């Protein structure tokens, strides 16, 4: 086989995201279908208002959470397949040269759906373990008749079986598209060696220009030309858009879930706050570790050559990892705005007729606490991978 189940062990990120998405959607969808069975038993206006609020909450949470995490899973799946093809293109090129059709080779990539199956199955089962406590907390004030937990086979189909089949088919079709490359394009090494200027040469460029062409000094624009490190930063962001998305998404999850969980104590329950906090931290750490580790692994040759030409470890880290700091700040800002907007919608629209609902205001102390912890975590991850960059040597690259 071209791809084995062992090769999909790196799909942990997809499994984690799928697990979180299915767990949240299973809790709220199962509660939505079970609570509809008691609609005919409601009589008082207070019961009807609370019932409508619970139904609207389930719809909004499933739509936003499921849609966002499903999109992220698709991006991560395509990224992992592309990464696998890029690292095994010579083997695939040999198989194509021996006459294997592209579709036959692509069919082996169905195993990438196993990561989705593992995550959805764990999330579906974990939701039923949490369901008794979740149902009790959703009706903790006994405003509604008791809601009995039911098992709905259609949820198993739509949240576990169908996503697994859909993602496996997507993996096969995307691989078939990527393998429509000439055999020589797969066999040759596409890594192009760039001209890495040495430290002394790079620093004396402006002096050399002014000496050779003093008469044109007045025509030189005020903006200094980009150095090699500036160009490397721009190329790193431009050529790795999927990693930019992962870092943006990880920062977004950290900001939104940590701040939203702090508000759940008053707006919902402590369990809901803990669940949001755990899901947010797991998603954030998974995507951030995946993105930063991929950046380091994908630029090992570049880092080794830069170290050879005299660039320090700090300069390498700043060029390859520091360029993602503005992206992480943008993700944190978007996550903060998202959680505030979502909670305002829930309080002002969904639960506007519910008298005991507390007033929600933006919590600046929680925001600063979340920001401080995010900066500490992010910089700690940067430090960890900067030490890994310092261990990369030219000898190690040449032996590969």
């Amino acid at each position: 086989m071209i791809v084995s189940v062992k090769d999909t062990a790196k799909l942990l990120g997809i499994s984690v995201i799928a697990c979180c998405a299915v767990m949240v959607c299973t809790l709220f969808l199962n509660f939505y279908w079970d609570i509809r069975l008691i609609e005919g038993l409601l009589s008082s206006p207070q019961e009807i208002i609370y019932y409508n609020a619970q139904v609207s909450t389930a719809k909004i949470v499933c739509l936003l959470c499921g849609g966002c995490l499903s999109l992220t899973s698709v991006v991560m799946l395509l990224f992992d397949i592309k990464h696998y093809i890029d690292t095994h293109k010579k083997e695939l090129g040999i198989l194509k040269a021996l006459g294997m059709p592209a579709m036959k080779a692509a069919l082996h990539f169905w195993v990438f759906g196993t990561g989705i199956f593992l995550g959805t199955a764990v999330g579906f089962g974990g939701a039923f373990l949490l369901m008794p406590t979740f149902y009790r907390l959703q009706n903790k004030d006994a405003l509604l008749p008791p809601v009995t937990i039911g098992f709905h086979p259609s949820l198993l189909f739509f949240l576990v079986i169908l996503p697994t089949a859909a993602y496996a088919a997507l993996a096969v079709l995307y691989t078939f598209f990527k393998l429509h490359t000439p055999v020589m394009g797969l066999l040759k090494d596409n890594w192009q060696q760039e001209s890495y200027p040495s430290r002394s040469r790079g620093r004396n460029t402006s002096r050399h220009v002014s000496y050779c062409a003093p008469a044109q000094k007045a025509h030189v624009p005020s903006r200094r030309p980009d150095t090699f490190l500036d160009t490397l930063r721009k190329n790193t962001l431009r050529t790795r858009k999927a990693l930019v998305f992962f870092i943006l998404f990880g920062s977004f999850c950290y900001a939104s879930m940590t701040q939203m969980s702090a508000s759940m104590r008053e707006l919902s329950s402590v369990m809901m706050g803990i669940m949001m906090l755990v899901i947010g931290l797991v998603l954030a750490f998974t995507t951030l570790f995946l993105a930063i580790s991929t950046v380091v692994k994908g630029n090992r040759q570049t880092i080794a050559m830069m170290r050879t030409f005299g660039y320090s470890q700090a300069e390498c880290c700043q060029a390859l990892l520091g360029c993602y700091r503005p992206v992480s700040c943008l993700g944190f800002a978007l996550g903060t705005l998202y959680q505030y907007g979502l909670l305002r919608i829930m309080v002002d629209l969904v639960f506007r007729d519910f008298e005991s609902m507390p007033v929600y205001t933006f919590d600046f102390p929680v925001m600063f606490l979340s920001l401080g912890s995010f900066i500490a975590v992010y910089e700690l991850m940067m430090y960890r991978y900067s030490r890994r960059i310092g261990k990369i040597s030219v000898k190690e690259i040449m032996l590969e």
Side-chain angles (χ1 to χ4, degrees):
M1 289 184 61
I2 298 178
V3 186
S4 63
V5 177
K6 182 180 178 180
D7 295 322
T8 62
K10 299 180 181 180
L11 300 179
L12 178 62
I14 297 179
S15 299
V16 170
I17 293 177
C19 177
C20 295
V22 170
M23 180 178 294
V24 173
C25 291
T26 301
L27 286 173
F28 282 93
L29 286 178
N30 209 82
F31 181 75
Y32 168 75
W33 283 358
D34 289 338
I35 199 177
R36 293 188 64 182
L37 299 177
I38 66 171
E39 184 177 4
L41 304 177
L42 305 179
S43 56
S44 67
Q46 188 74 1
E47 289 179 340
I48 296 176
I49 292 174
Y50 189 72
Y51 168 82
N52 292 330
Q54 292 291 350
V55 170
S56 300
T57 300
K59 292 180 180 178
I60 293 175
V61 171
C62 292
L63 180 62
L64 294 178
C65 177
C68 180
L69 296 182
S70 297
L71 175 61
T72 305
S73 299
V74 170
V75 175
M76 188 171 290
L77 177 68
L78 300 182
F79 172 79
D80 286 333
I81 295 175
K82 181 180 182 299
H83 180 70
Y84 180 88
I85 293 176
D86 291 341
T87 55
H88 295 82
K89 59 183 179 179
K90 291 185 178 180
E91 295 91 328
L92 295 171
I94 293 174
L95 292 176
K96 285 194 66 176
L98 293 176
M100 176 178 284
M103 178 53 73
K104 184 177 180 180
L107 287 175
H108 292 281
F109 283 75
W110 70 266
V111 296
F112 277 86
T114 58
I116 296 295
F117 175 75
L118 178 62
T120 54
V122 172
F124 190 81
F128 274 90
L129 294 177
L130 296 174
M131 209 164 284
T133 305
F134 178 76
Y135 275 47
R136 186 175 64 254
L137 292 175
Q138 290 296 97
N139 194 25
K140 62 181 179 179
D141 296 326
L143 297 176
L144 299 175
V147 181
T148 304
I149 299 176
F151 178 77
H152 306 281
S154 55
L155 279 182
L156 178 64
F157 175 77
F158 284 108
L159 295 180
V160 179
I161 300 176
L162 185 60
T164 301
Y167 278 83
L170 178 63
V172 172
L173 293 177
Y174 181 72
T175 305
F176 176 73
F177 172 77
K178 293 294 292 183
L179 290 180
H180 271 289
T181 303
V183 175
M184 292 305 300
L186 294 172
L187 291 176
K188 70 179 182 179
D189 193 354
N190 290 331
W191 180 72
Q192 299 177 354
Q193 295 188 8
E194 303 177 23
S195 56
Y196 297 92
S198 63
R199 173 180 300 277
S200 59
R201 185 181 301 175
R203 291 183 174 178
N204 294 332
T205 302
S206 59
R207 187 184 306 172
H208 177 73
V209 171
S210 62
Y211 173 77
C212 295
Q216 299 180 359
K217 186 175 182 180
H219 299 284
V220 176
S222 58
R223 179 182 177 274
R224 68 176 181 84
D226 290 341
T227 63
F228 169 72
L229 295 178
D230 294 333
T231 304
L232 183 60
R233 292 189 194 97
K234 296 178 181 179
N235 289 339
T236 301
L237 290 175
R238 185 174 61 252
T239 59
R240 299 181 180 274
K241 298 182 178 63
L243 300 182
V244 173
F245 172 81
F246 291 153
I247 291 182
L248 186 72
F249 178 74
S251 308
F252 176 90
C253 290
Y254 190 97
S256 60
M257 294 302 185
T258 54
Q259 296 180 61
M260 196 181 300
S261 63
S263 302
M264 288 298 104
R265 183 175 182 179
E266 296 182 358
L267 299 179
S268 180
S269 63
V270 177
M271 176 196 170
M272 186 64 66
I274 295 175
M275 185 175 68
M276 286 186 174
L277 180 63
V278 172
I279 290 177
L281 293 179
V282 169
L283 289 175
F285 288 142
T286 301
T287 51
L288 288 176
F289 272 117
L290 172 68
I292 299 176
S293 61
T294 304
V295 170
V296 175
K297 291 179 182 178
N299 290 278
R300 294 173 72 250
Q301 295 172 331
T302 303
I303 295 170
M305 295 301 296
M306 289 175 65
R307 298 297 301 276
T308 301
F309 282 104
Y311 289 95
S312 65
Q313 176 181 340
E315 289 174 320
C316 295
C317 296
Q318 182 62 29
L320 296 174
L321 299 180
C323 58
Y324 291 103
R325 283 191 175 90
V327 176
S328 64
C329 293
L330 176 61
F332 189 91
L334 293 177
T336 301
L337 295 176
Y338 166 80
Q339 65 89 24
Y340 175 73
L342 180 59
L343 291 179
R344 293 298 303 184
I345 291 175
M346 298 298 295
V347 173
D348 296 342
L349 296 180
V350 178
F351 289 91
R352 65 179 182 273
D353 298 325
F354 197 64
E355 298 178 356
S356 61
M357 194 67 182
V359 178
Y360 171 72
T361 57
F362 188 81
D363 197 335
F364 283 97
V366 171
M367 188 270 290
F368 287 118
L369 180 62
S370 175
L371 178 60
S373 62
F374 174 74
I375 293 175
V377 169
Y378 188 83
E379 292 302 326
L380 182 62
M381 294 175 63
M382 289 292 185
Y383 174 76
R384 176 178 180 272
Y385 281 98
S386 67
R387 292 181 61 86
R388 181 176 296 185
I389 286 177
K391 297 178 181 179
I392 297 176
S393 62
V394 178
K395 180 180 179 181
E396 180 182 353
I397 300 299
M398 295 299 293
L399 290 177
E400 294 180 355

